[in-house]
Amino acid sequence: MSLLSVENVSVSYGKVEAVRGVSLSVEAGRVATVIGPNGAGKTTLLTAVMGLLPYKGRILYDGMDLSKLDVEARVERGLCLVPEKRELFSEMSVSDNLILGAYSRRDRNNVARDLDAVYDRFPRLRERRSQLAGTLSGGERQMLALGRALMTKPRLLMLDEPSLGLAPLIVREIFHVIGSLRDLGVSLLLVEQNARAALETADFGYVLETGELASAGPSKDLIHDPRLIATYLGEH
Amino acid sequence: MTLEIAAILGIDGVANGAIYILVAIGLVLIFTVTRVIFVPFGDIAAFTALTLAALENRQVPGTISLVIALAVIAALIEVVSLVRRGDLHAVPRALLFYLGLPLLVVALVRFGIGFELPMAARIALAILLVLPIAPLLDRIIFRPIADASVLLLLIVSVSLHFALSGLGLLFFGPEGVRTQPLTEAAFDVAGILISGQTILIVVTSVIFSIGLYLFFDYTLTGKALHATAVNRTGARLMGIRPARSGAIAYILGSLMAGTSGVLIAPVNTIFYDSGFLLGLKAFVGAIIGGLVGYPSTALGALFVGLLESFASFQSSALKEVIVFSLLIPILIWRSLASTHSEEDIEE
Amino acid sequence: MSPNHIRAAGVAAALLLLAAPYALNSFSITLMNYIGVYALVAIGLALLTGVSGIVSFGQAAFVGIAAYATAWATAVNDYSPWIGLLLAIALTCSIAAFLGLVTLKLQGHFLSLSTLAWGLAIAFLFGNIDGLGHFNGIANIPPIAIGPFELLSGTQIYYLIWVIVIAALVLAYNLLDSRVGRAMRTLRGGNLLVESLGVDAFRIKLAVFVIAALLAAISGWLYAHLGRFVSPTPFEAKMGIEYLMMAMIGGSGSPIGAVVGAALITLLKDYVQDILPLIAGGASGQLEIVAFSFLFILFLQNARNGIVPYVTRFLPKSAEAPPAPATPLPRRQQPAPGTPLLEVQDAEKRFQGLIAVNKVNFEIRAGEIVGLIGPNGAGKSTMFNLITGALRATSGQIRFAGLDVTRSAQREASRAGIARTFQHVKLRPRMSVLDNVALGAYQRTGASFLSSALRLDRAEEASARYEAWQQLERVGLADKAFEQAGNLALGQQRVLEIARALASDPVLLVLDEPAAGLRRQEKIALAELLRSLRAQHLTILLVEHDMELVMNLVDRIVVMDFGTKICEGLPADVRNDPRVQEAYLGGVS
């Protein structure tokens, strides 16, 4: 069964329809990616799934209709979004940011252990744990955003442009982490402009153009699709 | 002005300032968490003083009717919105919080009036009784427009103050009150008399400031409140409900406003509308502090207290003019110092 | 409603007002007089708060200054009320100008808080200045006299009040329907767009602030001579919020709504005064403010837009005609194709230690289309903001048409002929498409507040509207000219931004991701449009992600990555450059 299934969802800002009739699904334990140009509606879609924007259509998570749950209730049920702007608590320390990630968890006893695990995964964060989040570099901020998301103990993690504005080396590191999350049993929905990196990480891909699904398929097929190569992937 | 007069004015100013600190920190707490500039905050302080005075005279304070009315309205609004959303499971809990708890407090006070209570118990009851007012007002007035601009919230807040001061007259009458002194002690320091009351005010203010600091640094709830203030969207994405943070901020703030009301009632005559100026002056202090940090807010409030004290020596009639005029240069300095982001003010 | 209907309704309303004294009893006339007096303040607030977005709690203080000024002049010093009027206006407006100068740079709620502060401070002064009667106020104020004829009765002053109200309404509507009116409406919602259009936002704000104070001053003068008595109470903070109620309930930004709001509040107050004693006995005076405040809060919670916009929704909409051909606005001399137009030399921009743009050099020659590309976060937008004056370079130099624009503000860049569009479309969603485009022509026109209010700007205004219409035709949006801009699809909004930029008769057009969110057909149309602009010798710089569009359109490409320029050249060369492949297309692999 799909962990997340988005069925015929449309999202509007005022009278402008940014997402039109999109359907997609994320299988449990898999990585799905949505790629497409700037302004195609990718961020809007994630925002709606998270409950930050109203939508038309149906979104099922673990078989449950999400329409009646607010953002916080979705978080409690293991849905987590790392937005494009990261939305860190910039005037708070790195460790406070991470601790707040576990805010809605009921298994308080495991929080300390998970915090350690996050520090092990991102040793840089341990070094800087008493530093204010606002003073971190771009790459560190993204690590913190990922670490904070992991502290929520997500079942479905949605990442919006995790490589945005990062140096190639950091991008490689971030994608390495993303790849390893699958082993933790976390399902992923990844939105990326860096289409090649995203498709290489994901199992399944969707292409969004001007708010509509343009194509979809297993990543290994999409990555060889001549039209996509011409538009997004470039000659390789 | 002799040194002695300056010292007396200074002590007076510090005592005033300590009161403003309590109110100002409460205001900043509420503002950062909810974005509401809670103008009626001073009214909460005044209502506490009036409630305490009524309890001393073993009268039924007007606050009881106010709390009952607000609790019924808030519960009704909450239940209706829950039913509309189809969230019936949450109804009993909502009734408990919005109706049950406030009515429990009301019952306790009503019961307490029947006895000759010690002062500490009366103070506790008075503060307990005003605690629900601000969170209930939040539910009734501000929650439905939580997404509105700070400016709109401010207009609503100013209107709410006028409504509350009107209600104050209705519930408490036009007479001013002065409550029994908390302490008769006085100390002679280098020839200058310092009253125990002044010391009590300053000590309470310091204790609250430290307590709040510990709360924010060492509790998860405190951190969640801070997080809501720093980044609402970020907080929501971690499962922190801004509405819940707001309610906690209102209760904490009311605790501080209530305490300040208890502290000034023995030294100043308090009328139903005395809260406005108290709140606004504290507010001037908060703005001097930039409406953000707690230490800077405390400094700003202290400054206002001192300024007022010295200004009233120069011209007691114009001291309010002086305090409020001061706000303008401070706002200008603030606006030059702050950088704002363009997106904040988009339509 | 067509203009004829509006005119008919206006005439009918005027006739009703004219006839009112013959039909109403003296008490109702008194009410009408106060409605008129309050309406003046509310009209000012409609312009200030509703249109320009500056919320003032302090108007009551202005009314008070004027009322006390004329009371002091006439009752204490025996001057004529007309001297009182001059004094009232001069004093109020100079105080307003001073307060405006020092506070109008404040943002949002800080500005409003300052109005609360000076409002309170001034209100405290009335009761405490010697010679103004303290809290007893000043009595025995003489009536206004026109020649030997004294306006003693309510009916007599009634005509004066309402003539002034109607004049204020006409002038306010004239102002709104003009160049400065459009600029005023643009003030709500962020300075970036306003300044990029060449509008001096501060000056406009200051002018509107003084105009609102002027109306408050006239109202205060009338108030003093109507009641023949002043005391501090009617000018306290409480009244400040009542004026705000009037302006907002009637309809934010609608002068007629302000009059409706003033009428509604005054009548309601009168009604409430009648019935509350029956319910509450003695405390009715305070219950009045309770009832009012809660009603106002309910209104703010549920119907912020006010009555007039709600009513107009049910009125038939008029079919607006395209503007008639008019004398074209003067055009700029375009530089000869091929001459250097924009020179960026060693431009550098740091944000708190982060280098966003690092020693970038490039040049744009007149008549070419240059593409600026690079991955997200490469510093393109910062580069863009440096060129348009939205940001100042930390070091380096930017020259435009021979001028050094490195330190220029947006407004100056705009006047020099740089017009821009925004990555996140910035327009005024509730203004019509035509008005949005006409904003672009702001700096090509020059009508002042006064000439706009007196309608001396008609010829220029016709030219500006016709210019906007022509630009809409040019980009293919003419059929949407009278829709609200917010109702357009994203693609059309982007095109609207281009039309707005064109209306400023630019030399250099800088476009920030114009194709983002456009459909394929729209992109083709956009490329077509840009080519035609090049054919007319316009110079274009565009930041864009869509490679297909960029490669087929531009003459040259500049590639940025991590704040530095990594390559520059013809599209075909850039495409094959290995550094570009790595930075832009490759990513991790």
Side-chain angles (χ1 to χ4, degrees):
Chain A
M1 189 179 79
S2 304
L3 183 57
L4 178 77
S5 77
V6 170
E7 296 168 7
N8 197 19
V9 162
S10 303
V11 192
S12 317
Y13 295 101
K15 301 209 169 163
V16 180
E17 227 177 20
V19 168
R20 285 183 295 271
V22 168
S23 300
L24 56 80
S25 63
V26 184
E27 305 300 314
R30 295 299 174 92
V31 180
T33 186
V34 179
I35 57 174
N38 249 4
K42 306 186 296 292
T43 297
T44 308
L45 183 64
L46 288 196
T47 315
V49 173
M50 199 59 221
L52 287 165
L53 275 178
Y55 57 85
K56 285 200 260 319
R58 203 156 77 121
I59 302 180
L60 295 177
Y61 168 74
D62 203 10
M64 172 174 40
D65 190 338
L66 282 183
S67 62
K68 280 195 182 146
L69 299 182
D70 56 11
V71 181
E72 295 85 352
R74 293 178 204 206
V75 176
E76 280 161 17
R77 285 166 179 76
L79 202 61
C80 185
L81 169 70
V82 178
E84 192 182 322
K85 290 188 194 158
R86 323 291 196 238
E87 307 287 7
L88 296 172
F89 307 121
S90 52
E91 290 158 42
M92 300 176 79
S93 69
V94 167
S95 69
D96 278 354
N97 268 275
L98 293 173
I99 289 167
L100 283 168
Y103 176 83
S104 60
R105 278 169 58 175
R106 305 214 189 280
D107 56 333
R108 307 299 319 168
N109 298 331
N110 300 332
V111 171
R113 195 200 58 208
D114 289 351
L115 184 61
D116 250 357
V118 168
Y119 281 143
D120 289 342
R121 193 180 286 273
F122 303 104
R124 287 277 276 288
L125 294 184
R126 177 175 279 139
E127 283 166 34
R128 303 189 179 253
R129 65 183 156 209
S130 49
Q131 209 171 312
L132 294 187
T135 64
L136 299 180
S137 74
E140 289 162 352
R141 292 167 64 84
Q142 182 58 280
M143 289 175 197
L144 180 55
L146 275 174
R148 190 180 67 168
L150 290 178
M151 289 299 291
T152 68
K153 230 180 174 185
R155 292 177 65 203
L156 175 66
L157 184 55
M158 300 188 285
L159 304 175
D160 194 357
E161 306 269 2
S163 75
L164 188 70
L166 302 182
L169 204 67
I170 312 277
V171 173
R172 223 160 291 173
E173 199 176 328
I174 295 284
F175 271 99
H176 178 72
V177 172
I178 293 170
S180 73
L181 289 180
R182 198 185 339 209
D183 308 332
L184 289 178
V186 180
S187 315
L188 284 161
L189 180 57
L190 175 64
V191 154
E192 255 300 337
Q193 266 201 82
N194 191 332
R196 183 172 294 280
L199 286 176
E200 279 169 0
T201 312
D203 304 299
F204 206 86
Y206 298 89
V207 182
L208 204 58
E209 278 173 13
T210 60
E212 287 167 357
L213 270 193
S215 54
S219 314
K220 55 182 192 303
D221 297 347
L222 290 181
I223 218 162
H224 299 298
D225 183 324
R227 200 183 83 81
L228 284 185
I229 290 173
T231 323
Y232 304 112
L233 302 171
E235 301 297 334
H236 196 57
Chain B
M1 188 190 300
T2 66
L3 202 62
E4 198 192 336
I5 293 177
I8 292 173
L9 290 176
I11 291 167
D12 210 30
V14 169
N16 284 346
I19 292 286
Y20 295 148
I21 287 176
L22 281 176
V23 180
I25 289 184
L27 270 169
V28 171
L29 175 67
I30 292 173
F31 174 68
T32 50
V33 174
T34 66
R35 300 182 310 126
V36 173
I37 297 172
F38 197 60
V39 180
F41 203 53
D43 298 322
I44 304 283
F47 285 6
T48 317
L50 293 161
T51 305
L52 182 59
L55 289 179
E56 279 177 359
N57 299 330
R58 297 186 63 180
Q59 291 164 346
V60 179
T63 341
I64 285 193
S65 334
L66 181 63
V67 170
I68 294 176
L70 292 177
V72 169
I73 297 171
L76 210 63
I77 292 178
E78 178 70 13
V79 168
V80 167
S81 87
L82 285 175
V83 169
R84 267 196 197 157
R85 241 181 27 214
D87 203 353
L88 292 172
H89 304 292
V91 171
R93 208 177 130 90
L95 282 176
L96 173 68
F97 276 107
Y98 289 108
L99 200 59
L101 287 182
L103 290 187
L104 184 68
V105 172
V106 166
L108 207 62
V109 174
R110 200 70 191 76
F111 178 70
I113 295 171
F115 301 90
E116 191 65 53
L117 294 170
M119 180 182 277
R122 287 198 303 263
I123 292 175
L125 281 184
I127 294 181
L128 210 54
L129 190 56
V130 294
L131 280 191
I133 296 177
L136 289 173
L137 285 173
D138 171 47
R139 179 63 194 89
I140 299 168
I141 309 283
F142 293 108
R143 200 85 60 80
I145 46 172
D147 294 328
S149 67
V150 173
L151 213 50
L152 190 92
L153 294 172
L154 174 63
I155 300 175
V156 171
S157 184
V158 172
S159 316
L160 180 60
H161 154 72
F162 287 115
L164 275 191
S165 76
L167 285 175
L169 179 61
L170 192 70
F171 286 126
F172 296 107
E175 300 82 21
V177 299
R178 210 177 250 250
T179 55
Q180 292 166 16
L182 299 170
T183 164
E184 303 282 6
F187 305 90
D188 191 323
V189 180
I192 292 159
L193 201 66
I194 302 178
S195 72
Q197 180 77 24
T198 303
I199 293 175
L200 195 63
I201 289 174
V202 173
V203 168
T204 311
S205 176
V206 169
I207 291 176
F208 264 96
S209 308
I210 294 176
L212 208 61
Y213 172 79
L214 295 177
F215 170 71
F216 278 119
D217 255 34
Y218 291 97
T219 67
L220 188 64
T221 307
K223 283 177 188 179
L225 237 62
H226 191 183
T228 313
V230 172
N231 185 336
R232 274 173 98 77
T233 309
R236 296 195 70 190
L237 289 174
M238 296 301 113
I240 301 166
R241 288 194 160 78
R244 183 167 175 272
S245 297
I248 295 172
Y250 275 111
I251 290 176
L252 268 179
S254 301
L255 180 64
M256 304 180 79
T259 306
S260 72
V262 169
L263 289 172
I264 46 166
V267 274
N268 291 351
T269 307
I270 302 292
F271 296 88
Y272 70 95
D273 62 351
S274 300
F276 189 42
L277 287 183
L278 172 67
L280 281 178
K281 284 179 197 161
F283 196 66
V284 173
I287 291 180
I288 296 176
L291 276 181
V292 274
Y294 296 101
S296 56
T297 301
L299 281 178
L302 194 61
F303 177 67
V304 170
L306 285 168
L307 179 87
E308 190 189 0
S309 170
F310 282 90
S312 63
F313 178 72
Q314 298 298 333
S315 158
S316 71
L318 293 182
K319 71 171 187 194
E320 327 284 6
V321 180
I322 295 173
V323 171
F324 290 119
S325 307
L326 174 79
L327 191 54
I328 292 171
I330 285 165
L331 282 169
I332 294 161
W333 165 63
R334 272 282 148 207
S335 79
L336 293 177
S338 76
T339 50
H340 67 279
S341 85
E342 163 88 2
E343 303 300 328
D344 286 351
I345 41 175
E346 285 293 308
E347 271 178 292
Chain C
M1 284 199 300
S2 76
N4 279 334
H5 285 123
I6 294 176
R7 230 164 275 154
V11 169
L15 284 176
L16 276 178
L17 279 173
L18 202 67
Y22 299 96
L24 298 175
N25 60 27
S26 71
F27 177 71
S28 305
I29 289 297
T30 306
L31 272 183
M32 285 293 288
N33 284 340
Y34 279 102
I35 290 172
V37 169
Y38 296 146
L40 281 173
V41 186
I43 292 170
L45 265 179
L47 296 178
L48 187 66
T49 303
V51 176
S52 315
I54 301 165
V55 175
S56 167
F57 293 107
Q59 296 310 103
F62 289 147
V63 179
I65 292 173
Y68 265 97
T70 190
W72 179 80
T74 56
V76 181
N77 292 306
D78 286 331
Y79 290 114
S80 124
W82 299 103
I83 301 287
L85 175 63
L86 287 183
L87 180 71
I89 290 177
L91 193 65
T92 312
C93 289
S94 17
I95 291 177
F98 169 74
L99 286 172
L101 272 174
V102 295
T103 61
L104 284 173
K105 283 242 156 69
L106 295 170
Q107 298 293 335
H109 58 277
F110 281 111
L111 176 54
S112 302
L113 286 171
S114 81
T115 66
L116 198 58
W118 54 250
L120 274 167
I122 292 173
F124 271 114
L125 277 179
F126 295 137
N128 287 304
I129 293 183
D130 292 328
L132 293 185
H134 289 268
F135 289 95
N136 294 325
I138 302 174
N140 299 326
I141 300 172
I144 298 166
I146 298 174
F149 185 63
E150 288 196 327
L151 303 180
L152 271 167
S153 75
T155 321
Q156 289 164 328
I157 198 169
Y158 168 91
Y159 285 108
L160 177 67
I161 291 174
W162 281 93
V163 163
I164 294 177
V165 171
I166 288 169
L169 275 178
V170 170
L171 294 178
Y173 274 107
N174 286 352
L175 202 56
L176 286 178
D177 174 34
S178 76
R179 159 187 191 265
V180 278
R182 270 193 301 273
M184 278 159 62
R185 279 182 277 167
T186 318
L187 291 177
R188 294 188 86 132
N191 260 348
L192 202 52
L193 169 63
V194 184
E195 295 278 326
S196 82
L197 297 167
V199 178
D200 187 343
F202 181 72
R203 258 193 63 201
I204 303 264
K205 281 183 191 169
L206 187 60
V208 180
F209 190 68
V210 173
I211 288 173
L214 172 71
L215 288 168
I218 297 172
S219 164
W221 176 70
L222 287 169
Y223 182 91
H225 294 284
L226 174 65
R228 317 270 300 277
F229 167 71
V230 293
S231 72
T233 323
F235 313 120
E236 281 173 355
K238 202 161 83 177
M239 198 59 205
I241 189 107
E242 267 182 36
Y243 286 127
L244 203 54
M245 274 187 215
M246 293 173 189
M248 293 186 76
I249 284 181
S252 48
S254 155
I256 234 357
V259 180
V260 173
L264 206 67
I265 299 272
T266 312
L267 293 175
L268 203 61
K269 218 165 151 178
D270 179 58
Y271 180 67
V272 167
Q273 272 165 359
D274 283 348
I275 59 159
L276 274 186
L278 305 179
I279 307 170
S284 57
Q286 283 299 319
L287 261 192
E288 180 189 321
I289 186 74
V290 176
F292 263 64
S293 304
F294 278 126
L295 279 178
F296 188 43
I297 290 171
L298 271 177
F299 158 78
L300 289 170
Q301 285 180 338
N302 299 305
R304 271 170 246 173
N305 290 333
I307 295 167
V308 168
Y310 182 78
V311 172
T312 42
R313 259 197 309 180
F314 295 104
L315 298 176
K317 261 184 89 175
S318 62
E320 301 216 41
T327 333
L329 293 171
R331 303 204 78 87
R332 233 186 276 270
Q333 180 77 42
Q334 293 287 346
T339 52
L341 185 64
L342 181 80
E343 295 154 88
V344 178
Q345 290 160 0
D346 288 331
E348 187 178 289
K349 178 68 189 176
R350 293 165 181 271
F351 297 104
Q352 294 153 2
L354 277 165
I355 304 184
V357 169
N358 190 6
K359 305 261 180 236
V360 172
N361 288 285
F362 65 92
E363 187 187 272
I364 299 176
R365 286 183 289 276
E368 64 178 352
I369 301 186
V370 174
L372 181 60
I373 67 168
N376 268 335
K380 305 179 303 272
S381 290
T382 310
M383 189 65 243
F384 218 85
N385 286 329
L386 293 181
I387 295 171
T388 54
L391 292 172
R392 310 258 163 109
T394 316
S395 68
Q397 202 188 36
I398 298 167
R399 297 180 66 78
F400 176 71
L403 281 162
D404 184 353
V405 294
T406 320
R407 306 255 161 270
S408 300
Q410 282 195 82
R411 209 164 58 230
E412 290 147 353
S414 158
R415 288 194 190 130
I418 302 178
R420 70 170 296 182
T421 66
F422 296 88
Q423 186 183 347
H424 302 287
V425 175
K426 288 190 192 299
L427 37 75
R428 293 300 177 241
R430 264 173 277 162
M431 283 164 66
S432 75
V433 169
L434 188 75
D435 275 349
N436 266 287
V437 175
L439 276 172
Y442 180 85
Q443 39 138 339
R444 298 171 68 191
T445 49
S448 68
F449 272 86
L450 191 64
S451 59
S452 300
L454 297 177
R455 251 173 156 58
L456 304 174
D457 63 337
R458 288 300 99 185
E460 184 187 86
E461 177 67 10
S463 305
R465 286 173 67 83
Y466 186 59
E467 167 78 25
W469 173 260
Q470 280 181 308
Q471 296 304 347
L472 281 173
E473 281 188 322
R474 190 174 182 188
V475 301
L477 267 185
D479 55 326
K480 308 268 182 203
F482 299 103
E483 288 202 24
Q484 284 197 358
N487 292 352
L488 296 189
L490 179 64
Q492 293 171 324
Q493 294 189 348
R494 289 201 179 280
V495 174
L496 186 160
E497 281 208 319
I498 296 176
R500 184 179 66 204
L502 290 174
S504 73
D505 184 28
V507 179
L508 174 67
L509 193 59
V510 276
L511 308 175
D512 200 350
E513 299 204 20
L518 297 200
R519 298 164 196 234
R520 201 175 164 71
Q521 279 311 312
E522 293 172 327
K523 282 182 186 173
I524 294 171
L526 174 72
E528 211 43 61
L529 171 65
L530 296 182
R531 275 193 201 98
S532 77
L533 294 177
R534 172 173 52 192
Q536 294 159 33
H537 305 308
L538 205 65
T539 318
I540 298 171
L541 170 67
L542 87 158
V543 166
E544 186 47 64
H545 273 291
D546 187 321
M547 283 304 136
E548 197 184 339
L549 181 87
V550 174
M551 294 295 171
N552 293 326
L553 176 68
V554 305
D555 301 302
R556 276 187 316 120
I557 291 181
V558 175
V559 191
M560 282 180 73
D561 196 16
F562 290 102
T564 50
K565 184 179 88 172
I566 57 171
C567 146
E568 178 177 356
L570 299 175
D573 300 339
V574 166
R575 191 202 288 268
N576 296 323
D577 190 306
R579 288 168 300 179
V580 178
Q581 295 255 319
E582 164 68 24
Y584 201 72
L585 308 166
V588 272
S589 48

